[in-house]
Amino acid sequence: MIVKMSNMLLSALISDPCVVKNDFDAFCNFCITVMTALAKSWGVTYRTANVVLFVILMPLIIGLFFVAALFKRENMFAKICFYSGIVITIAIIISLMIAFADTILTVKD
C-alpha cells in the first residue's frame, strides 16, 4: 500500500502538471492563467502575486472583518476596520476581473 502510494506520488511529480486530464485540471490551469495575468498586471512574478494575495491580503481582510464583527461596528476603530476590509476586497476583485478579462481576450485571440 505504501509503495503504491509513493509510486503514485512520484509519477505525479514527474508528469507534466499542465496536461489537462479532467475538468478540475482545466479549471486549475485556467486559475493559474488568471493568476499569471494578475501578476503581469501588477508587474510582479507569479509567486509574489500568490504571496501578496493569499498570505498577506486575505488574512488581513479576515482579520479586519473579525475585529469589525467583534466590536459590532459600535466604535470608530471597528468602522475603520470594516471599511478598510471592504476597500481591500473591492481592490482585489477589480484586479482579478482585469486579469480574468486579459486571460479571456488572450485565449480568444
Side-chain angles (χ1 to χ4, degrees):
M1 181 76 171
I2 295 174
V3 173
K4 186 176 180 180
M5 290 175 55
S6 64
N7 287 340
M8 289 172 41
L9 178 64
L10 287 174
S11 65
L13 291 175
I14 294 171
S15 67
D16 186 18
C18 295
V19 175
V20 176
K21 297 178 183 173
N22 56 35
D23 291 338
F24 183 74
D25 288 336
F27 178 71
C28 288
N29 289 337
F30 182 73
C31 291
I32 290 170
T33 306
V34 170
M35 282 298 295
T36 304
L38 178 69
K40 285 181 184 177
S41 69
W42 283 357
V44 296
T45 64
Y46 175 82
R47 290 180 179 182
T48 305
N50 269 330
V51 168
V52 167
L53 190 62
F54 297 113
V55 176
I56 298 171
L57 291 179
M58 291 309 293
L60 177 67
I61 291 170
I62 292 168
L64 290 172
F65 285 138
F66 177 74
V67 168
L70 189 65
F71 291 110
K72 298 181 182 174
R73 290 182 277 167
E74 293 174 359
N75 60 14
M76 185 57 77
F77 179 68
K79 288 181 182 179
I80 290 171
C81 289
F82 178 75
Y83 290 118
S84 298
I86 293 291
V87 168
I88 293 170
T89 304
I90 289 171
I92 290 172
I93 290 171
I94 290 171
S95 296
L96 287 172
M97 287 172 54
I98 292 169
F100 181 77
D102 288 345
T103 304
I104 294 296
L105 293 175
T106 304
V107 170
K108 287 188 177 181
D109 289 342

